[in-house]
Every structure is written in structure tokens, then in C-alpha cells.
Amino acid sequence: MQRGFIFSLLFAIMVAVFALKNANKVLIDFIFGKVNISQALVILISAILGAVIVAIMGSVKNFKLKRDNKELNKKLESIKKEKNELMLMLEEQEKEVLDIEEEKDTNTLDGNNS
């Protein structure tokens, strides 16, 4: 987090210095008109708009990741629940098998004793 902030701060300083070094007036031709404006202002506005667009796109991606994470957590919970149910069923079946084997052993012993 700190590295990103430091990098962003250095980049902003570089853009500001670059913009101030290029403070000449330039003619910008829009579809609806022409404007004579400082090149520094154009550079700064472009950098700010770029940062805003990147922030918006990052927020959208973060929102989608959080939504996907919630969905996956719900699936994980349902799979864990299903696993627990299957483990209980397996334990019940193992008990039944052991009971059947004990009955066979008991019947065999009773048959041999007679």
C-alpha cells in the first residue's frame, strides 16, 4: 500500500513539473469550437481525468470481485453442509454394517454352542 502511494505521489510530482515546464498557450480545436488554453492546464486536466477513470474502473473490478467472492463463499458453505450430511450417512451405514457383522458373529457362536 505504501509503495503504491509513494509511486503515485512521485508520478503526480513528475506530471506537475512537466506541465509547468510546458506552460505555453496552445489552440485546442473541439468539434463545437476552438479554445486557446495553457498547455500545462491541458496536461493536468488529462492526468486528473485519467486518474478518475482508472479509479472508477478499479472500483468496478473490486465490486465484481467482492460479489464473486460472496457467491463462492455461499457455494463453499453449501458444499461443506453436503459433505457433513454425507459423512453422517456414511457413519450410519458403517454402524449398520458393524451391527450386521455382530449379529452374524453372535448367530455363528450360538450355532456352534448348540
Side-chain angles (χ1 to χ4, degrees), residues 4-107:
F5 176 73
I6 291 170
F7 176 74
S8 298
L9 188 60
L10 290 174
F11 185 73
I13 291 170
M14 287 178 14
V15 169
V17 169
F18 179 76
L20 292 175
K21 291 276 186 183
N22 294 289
N24 303 336
K25 295 272 185 180
V26 292
L27 180 66
I28 308 267
D29 188 8
F30 293 106
I31 295 172
F32 52 85
K34 297 179 181 181
V35 178
N36 204 9
I37 192 168
S38 169
Q39 192 174 8
L41 195 57
V42 172
I43 292 169
L44 290 174
I45 290 172
S46 298
I48 290 170
L49 285 176
V52 168
I53 290 170
V54 167
I56 290 171
M57 292 177 70
S59 297
V60 168
K61 183 177 180 180
N62 193 21
F63 174 76
K64 287 180 181 180
L65 287 174
K66 283 183 179 181
R67 185 188 64 209
D68 291 345
N69 194 18
K70 284 182 183 179
E71 289 176 10
L72 290 174
N73 281 333
K74 285 180 184 178
K75 284 182 182 180
L76 180 62
E77 287 301 318
S78 69
I79 289 171
K80 283 181 179 180
K81 184 178 177 183
E82 184 179 354
K83 176 192 164 207
N84 289 336
E85 290 172 359
L86 290 173
M87 291 297 288
L88 288 174
M89 289 174 58
L90 181 61
E91 287 175 7
E92 289 175 6
Q93 287 181 353
E94 286 175 349
K95 285 180 184 178
E96 289 176 10
V97 168
L98 287 175
D99 289 344
I100 292 171
E101 287 178 357
E102 285 179 8
E103 280 183 31
K104 284 183 183 178
D105 289 342
T106 305
N107 289 339

Side-chain angles (χ1 to χ4, degrees), residues 104-114:
K104 284 183 183 178
D105 289 342
T106 305
N107 289 339
T108 306
L109 289 176
D110 288 344
N112 289 339
N113 289 342
S114 332

